[in-house]
Amino acid sequence: MIRGLDHPLNALKRRIALVLLPVGTVAVLLARLVQIRQGAPEPLDAWALPLMGVSFLVLTLILWLRPESLSFTQGAGYVVLAGYALLSLEYQFRVYLPVNHGLSEATYWFSLLYLIAFANWKLRVAVWVSITTFVAMLLLGFWRGLPVLIANGVDPDAIGFVLQFYISSLAYIAFIFSFATIRQQYYRMHHLAHADSLTGLPNRRAGEELINYEIERVERYKHDFSVVVFDLDHFKRVNDNHGHDVGDGVLRELAKRVEGYLRKADRLIRWGGEEFVILLPETSPEEACHITERIRKAVNAEPFKGPGWLSASFGIASYQPDDTLTLMIKRADQSLYGAKQNGRNCVVIGDFNVSSGHNLSERLA
């Protein structure tokens, strides 16, 4: 998996969840009101539906305030739905089945749990969650449903309904699994299209998606965001004097060194050739300078295998109002050009006021 590549997909999942969770809140509360209006609410639903609605509302607020909580929200939402389904199934086996010789129409919706599992998680996890949910329902059937069927004697309608419920659940799992397998193949192709084969880093196409995603976050949450464009100084000499195999090894080692100095939220992208881009979310210009300077020193801290000592030049651009990907990269490129013009092996910040006559070290002093 490319580091950071799943962020645009997670952004889409987050937007969908922020729509579905409030809709779920309204739906369960409306169902409760309809039951009250009809005058014959189920005892379980009298407390379970309001609790489920409040849970969805709380999860909506958590996801809205903390976008990084998507995994928690997905898991918690599934637990709420699965818990209600199991409680409802237990109630039907215990109360509804002996009287009506079958299960209610509500059981038709239980299979949506499997669809949600495969939509939320990767294939292996989704299969595990779905089978666990099915086994829990099956055990519940043995515990609550089987004694009722035995007590009622041979009732073909009741037995057929219960068997149909479990067989259809397995069919749903198998059907969704088939589509999820196709989706996994798509992800593999997506990975190949968005990964740099040499370093394993996100390539330019993936990088552009990640930068656009971060710009959307900046515009929404009003925090800082910086990008760094850098490349190795005189890299062409490495290929000319030592061959492309050695050059490839240098680029892999460079990526490894730089990643060692990045934070968890930061992203390193191979932009093309010997040029790389670093994404620094929630990072002010001053912080970006400190981080980049540490990386510059790390690149030149020890010799590379083959060419020996190498250096890199860095250009920084921080987000400004109404910025776009093109504008940020252009300013960072201009800063990189300034670094090259000032002797290489240095860091230049894109939003620095050149007319003041201050260099980076003087500004940060």
Side-chain angles (χ1 to χ4, degrees):
M1 171 62 93
I2 315 171
R3 191 180 178 198
L5 186 57
D6 59 337
H7 274 248
L9 179 60
N10 280 348
L12 175 61
K13 288 184 176 181
R14 189 178 300 112
R15 288 194 292 267
I16 293 174
L18 287 172
V19 172
L20 293 183
L21 285 171
V23 169
T25 300
V26 173
V28 297
L29 294 180
L30 284 177
R32 175 61 180 145
L33 290 175
V34 169
Q35 289 180 345
I36 294 175
R37 188 177 181 85
Q38 291 176 344
E42 300 286 353
L44 171 65
D45 290 342
W47 62 269
L49 287 181
L51 180 60
M52 187 161 55
V54 171
S55 299
F56 288 159
L57 182 59
V58 170
L59 291 175
T60 302
L61 293 174
I62 292 174
L63 187 58
W64 176 264
L65 297 174
R66 297 181 61 86
E68 68 275 10
S69 65
L70 176 63
S71 296
F72 167 79
T73 305
Q74 289 176 325
Y78 188 88
V79 169
V80 170
L81 288 171
Y84 174 77
L86 291 171
L87 288 172
S88 178
L89 189 60
E90 188 277 336
Y91 176 81
Q92 291 190 50
F93 281 139
R94 179 168 49 86
V95 177
Y96 197 91
L97 182 62
V99 176
N100 297 280
H101 307 284
L103 303 177
S104 74
E105 294 83 357
T107 56
Y108 298 152
W109 295 94
F110 290 175
S111 295
L112 282 176
L113 284 169
Y114 310 125
L115 180 61
I116 293 172
F118 281 93
N120 279 351
W121 295 292
K122 295 179 182 179
L123 186 61
R124 182 177 299 179
V125 177
V127 170
W128 182 87
V129 171
S130 297
I131 294 299
T132 300
T133 304
F134 175 79
V135 170
M137 291 184 177
L138 187 62
L139 293 175
L140 193 59
F142 281 111
W143 177 43
R144 287 298 194 184
L146 188 59
V148 172
L149 294 175
I150 294 175
N152 289 348
V154 179
D155 187 343
D157 291 337
I159 294 174
F161 202 108
V162 173
L163 287 177
Q164 185 177 359
F165 167 72
Y166 285 111
I167 293 172
S168 64
S169 294
L170 286 176
Y172 275 118
I173 294 175
F175 184 72
I176 299 171
F177 173 79
S178 300
F179 277 95
T181 302
I182 297 174
R183 184 185 68 172
Q184 187 178 65
Q185 294 299 321
Y186 164 77
Y187 283 157
R188 288 175 181 170
M189 291 186 291
H190 184 269
H191 173 90
L192 293 175
H194 289 73
D196 173 54
S197 59
L198 178 64
T199 61
L201 296 173
N203 61 17
R204 180 166 181 163
R205 177 184 297 175
E208 290 176 348
E209 293 179 5
L210 291 170
I211 294 173
N212 283 325
Y213 165 72
E214 291 297 340
I215 290 176
E216 288 178 7
R217 291 187 65 222
V218 171
E219 293 172 347
R220 180 175 178 182
Y221 299 106
K222 310 303 179 185
H223 54 58
D224 293 314
F225 171 51
S226 298
V227 297
V228 182
V229 177
F230 72 96
D231 64 17
L232 284 171
D233 299 326
H234 304 298
F235 181 72
K236 185 177 184 297
R237 297 179 185 174
V238 175
N239 285 331
D240 292 343
N241 297 332
H242 301 276
H244 289 278
D245 289 343
V246 172
D248 289 347
V250 167
L251 293 177
R252 284 191 290 265
E253 176 61 24
L254 173 66
K256 183 178 178 181
R257 291 188 190 183
V258 173
E259 282 201 304
Y261 283 82
L262 296 181
R263 303 161 302 180
K264 185 177 181 180
D266 302 334
R267 299 288 177 259
L268 176 62
I269 300 156
R270 188 181 180 197
W271 205 247
E274 71 272 24
E275 191 171 63
F276 293 79
V277 172
I278 303 173
L279 277 59
L280 302 174
E282 301 184 32
T283 305
S284 68
E286 290 76 13
E287 292 172 325
C289 290
H290 286 296
I291 294 171
T292 308
E293 181 64 14
R294 289 174 56 209
I295 293 173
R296 183 192 67 79
K297 293 178 180 178
V299 171
N300 198 31
E302 56 184 280
F304 287 83
K305 185 178 180 180
W309 300 95
L310 295 173
S311 63
S313 300
F314 299 79
I316 304 174
S318 293
Y319 179 83
Q320 297 177 359
D322 299 321
D323 244 342
T324 64
L325 180 155
T326 302
L327 291 175
M328 290 195 73
I329 294 297
K330 182 178 180 179
R331 291 204 311 277
D333 272 331
Q334 290 171 345
S335 296
L336 175 59
Y337 178 77
K340 297 290 188 182
Q341 293 297 106
N342 283 274
R344 296 183 170 84
N345 192 22
C346 62
V347 176
V348 173
I349 187 165
D351 58 356
F352 178 68
N353 187 350
V354 180
S355 62
S356 68
H358 293 167
N359 60 33
L360 181 60
S361 60
E362 291 173 336
R363 183 185 181 190
L364 294 177

